[in-house]
Amino acid sequence: MKFSELGLSPELLRAIADQGYTVPTPIQAKAIPLVMEGHDLMACAQTGTGKTAGFTLPILHRLAASKPSGRQHVRALILTPTRELAAQVAESVRDYGAHLAFKSLVVFGGVGIVPQIAALKKGVDILVATPGRLLDLAQQKAVDLSGIEILVLDEADRMLDMGFIHDIRRVIALLPKTRQNLLFSATFSDDIRALAGSFLVSPSYVESERRNTAPELVEQAVYRVDRERKRELLIELIKQNDWHQVLVFTRTKWGANGLAEKLTKAGIEASAIHGNKSQGARTRALGDFKNGELRVLVATDIAARGLDIEQLPFVVNYELPNVPEDYVHRIGRTGRAGASGKAVSLVCVDEDKLLRDIERLIKKSLPALTHPGFAVDATIAPQPIANRSTGQNKPQAAKVARNMGTKKRSVSSNHPDEARRLGATEKAREGEAKKPPRRSGSPERPMPKKTPGEQSAKTDHSAGQGRRQQRPFHSKAKATPKATRVSS
């Protein structure tokens, strides 16, 4: 099948040709006709499958075929979890809409809000946004969402992981009841299905490939190494194999900063990208990496789904992720759009269980290699790895997460005061130890002792609060919609 057979407008076919494409990817071939027909859609698509064009092209076609009613409103809203992904989606909208008379805008936190307000006043047809900044603009009455015809939630599973569920619901409450809804996700957990059931209407369902599978064109390998020699091995692999454009993943922000500094001292141009970096610093680092000025980009999982780098050759897991699905998203940065790539994981004895979880998820054993001169010391005992979301060991943290029914929000949500309000949460999320709680009152004077009756009353009140906090968000969600499945 070719794009010319999908019924897209001549202007879109011209823009597609300008980008050098003639044949749609599987997810595009399945999703585009359904969106053009006006169906709500649940689409399961891994990274690198062309899903952005899968919703961008039919949205542009539908908006071009219908005239806006009344005064000018934002007609299509695309929500993304990260700033980088928002910028890339906006670029896709501009590229494919190059021959159409549409105005588009991208808004996210970390940059000034005043220019965004000024741009919105001039009129916008398609708005790409992160949830936090969009709600800030809505609160200031700078954006009118009453005319939205199409809503897209991109990387919906990532949004839930980052704690955006409440922001998403607040945004949906601002939209008109009648609209088309598109939900794209790399996975469809129970939480995602509950979210879909709360706003999708009789959706169709498409899937590009088996869920939670690593890209077939990615060559994967594991290097066994002692925890203290990981950095030394990484430097040797990069220099000895003459690797360029290497995306390296760490668990923590301070770990990313430290590794980037050590690589630079070793003569390897490197920079770090994570949630505590300013938007300007993140944009510069990503730009330098894409154009070859940086040899290595060290990232936390905030970048696992937001980076789109053409023909990225190498991904290195300097530390394995605590969540097996994140491994798939990390290595999905390479092997995209038919290109081959290589994913290398540096695994110490502490990470044996994490490796087994990953291999169980992807249903294959990864070849374990030992680099000459880096034989593993069998006398080193494993140490427990703290879970990034709670600071606890993973089994205990998983139990807490199930009981609470909620997820922590990452600092990369885009409220302007996010770092101040959620800094402690983000530190815990990326594996940094939490400080012990301090008792209220002056630190110089001890708290007065409570009588047994007062202590009992305080305990009962706290228990009541705990019960209220443990109500899972999906208890209020509607039933999962009945979906029409489109076979591969």
Side-chain angles (χ1 to χ4, degrees):
M1 176 182 288
K2 296 183 178 181
F3 278 110
S4 56
E5 302 175 46
L6 295 177
L8 294 167
S9 68
E11 293 83 1
L12 289 174
L13 293 176
R14 181 181 168 192
I16 293 169
D18 291 344
Q19 298 300 311
Y21 301 122
T22 56
V23 178
T25 65
I27 191 64
Q28 292 166 358
K30 296 173 186 176
I32 289 175
L34 293 171
V35 178
M36 289 171 61
E37 292 170 5
H39 295 283
D40 278 17
L41 182 69
M42 295 172 64
C44 183
Q46 302 288 349
T47 57
T49 58
K51 64 179 176 59
T52 302
F55 61 77
T56 300
L57 289 169
I59 286 175
L60 290 166
H61 178 89
R62 293 207 69 201
L63 296 183
S66 62
K67 294 183 179 180
S69 57
R71 63 191 182 89
Q72 185 172 8
H73 297 277
V74 178
R75 301 179 63 193
L77 173 63
I78 304 171
L79 289 179
T80 72
T82 66
R83 305 166 188 174
E84 285 77 18
L85 183 57
Q88 289 163 15
V89 170
E91 183 179 359
S92 178
V93 171
R94 287 192 298 269
D95 289 342
Y96 292 120
H99 305 297
L100 295 170
F102 285 127
K103 293 182 180 179
S104 62
L105 178 67
V106 57
V107 295
F108 47 70
V111 296
I113 197 172
V114 175
Q116 296 175 355
I117 294 175
L120 286 166
K121 288 181 179 179
K122 296 178 182 179
V124 173
D125 297 290
I126 302 173
L127 181 62
V128 184
T130 50
R133 177 50 59 93
L134 180 64
L135 288 172
D136 289 340
L137 291 165
Q139 186 176 14
Q140 297 186 39
K141 301 188 183 304
V143 60
D144 184 359
L145 302 178
S146 63
I148 294 293
E149 301 170 29
I150 305 173
L151 168 67
V152 181
L153 293 188
D154 193 14
E155 301 280 15
D157 50 345
R158 179 65 167 164
M159 287 203 202
L160 263 62
D161 288 343
M162 295 171 68
F164 281 132
I165 179 63
H166 300 297
D167 284 352
I168 291 171
R169 286 180 172 162
R170 289 174 61 195
V171 170
I172 290 175
L174 300 175
L175 307 181
K177 299 296 183 183
T178 303
R179 63 181 187 273
Q180 184 179 14
N181 303 289
L182 313 176
L183 185 149
F184 284 74
S185 179
T187 61
F188 274 111
S189 63
D190 291 341
D191 287 350
I192 289 292
R193 293 183 181 277
L195 172 63
S198 68
F199 75 100
L200 295 180
V201 180
S202 301
S204 297
Y205 176 84
V206 298
E207 184 175 6
S208 64
E209 56 187 85
R210 289 188 299 119
R211 303 175 202 169
N212 298 326
T213 57
E216 295 180 359
L217 295 176
V218 178
E219 178 187 349
Q220 303 171 66
V222 168
Y223 279 94
R224 292 286 184 175
V225 61
D226 295 334
R227 71 175 75 94
E228 300 299 329
R229 302 195 68 191
K230 281 191 175 186
R231 184 175 68 244
E232 183 184 351
L233 174 57
L234 176 61
I235 292 172
E236 181 155 332
L237 287 174
I238 293 173
K239 288 185 174 181
Q240 188 177 89
N241 298 305
D242 196 27
W243 288 352
H244 291 269
Q245 269 202 319
V246 186
L247 180 59
V248 180
F249 282 102
T250 64
R251 289 196 199 98
T252 65
K253 296 174 289 186
W254 59 266
N257 287 336
L259 180 58
E261 291 175 3
K262 296 295 184 181
L263 290 174
T264 300
K265 289 180 180 179
I268 299 172
E269 301 86 354
S271 185
I273 179 171
H274 52 68
N276 274 8
K277 292 282 187 177
S278 69
Q279 184 57 39
R282 287 159 64 172
T283 301
R284 285 192 300 273
L286 182 57
D288 290 345
F289 184 63
K290 285 184 174 182
N291 64 30
E293 293 182 23
L294 277 181
R295 193 171 179 179
V296 176
L297 184 65
V298 186
T300 56
D301 281 307
I302 187 176
R305 301 194 201 179
L307 298 181
D308 186 6
I309 303 165
E310 292 185 5
Q311 298 181 342
L312 176 68
F314 304 106
V315 168
V316 175
N317 291 296
Y318 187 77
E319 296 163 319
L320 290 181
N322 290 321
V323 180
E325 288 82 1
D326 285 345
Y327 172 84
V328 178
H329 300 311
R330 286 180 177 187
I331 72 170
R333 299 302 95 207
T334 187
R336 298 166 69 88
S340 60
K342 186 169 186 177
V344 171
S345 299
L346 309 186
V347 180
C348 65
V349 65
D350 308 341
E351 300 168 306
D352 283 346
K353 185 180 184 305
L354 299 180
L355 179 60
R356 291 196 299 271
D357 291 342
I358 290 169
E359 292 178 331
R360 189 179 302 114
L361 176 72
I362 64 177
K363 295 180 173 59
K364 65 182 294 186
S365 296
L366 299 178
L369 311 175
T370 301
H371 193 73
F374 287 85
V376 176
D377 184 351
T379 65
I380 297 179
Q383 296 181 0
I385 298 175
N387 182 276
R388 67 178 180 178
S389 61
T390 64
Q392 300 166 303
N393 291 339
K394 187 180 177 183
Q396 182 181 358
K399 181 178 179 181
V400 171
R402 286 195 300 271
N403 291 339
M404 294 300 292
T406 57
K407 293 181 173 63
K408 300 292 184 182
R409 177 186 296 175
S410 165
V411 77
S412 64
S413 91
N414 294 288
H415 293 289
D417 59 344
E418 196 70 34
R420 183 174 65 255
R421 295 192 296 108
L422 295 175
T425 300
E426 174 65 8
K427 286 182 180 180
R429 182 179 178 84
E430 295 194 348
E432 299 178 24
K434 288 184 178 180
K435 295 180 180 180
R438 292 176 57 186
R439 302 177 67 184
S440 60
S442 171
E444 288 83 11
R445 293 181 296 175
M447 295 289 290
K449 294 184 177 180
K450 301 288 184 181
T451 66
E454 291 173 326
Q455 185 63 41
S456 175
K458 180 178 180 181
T459 302
D460 291 342
H461 176 67
S462 300
Q465 286 182 327
R467 286 193 295 273
R468 286 193 294 272
Q469 292 173 347
Q470 290 180 6
R471 185 181 297 120
F473 84 85
H474 52 75
S475 62
K476 295 183 179 180
K478 298 180 183 178
T480 304
K482 184 177 180 181
T484 303
R485 191 178 188 88
V486 178
S487 60
S488 300

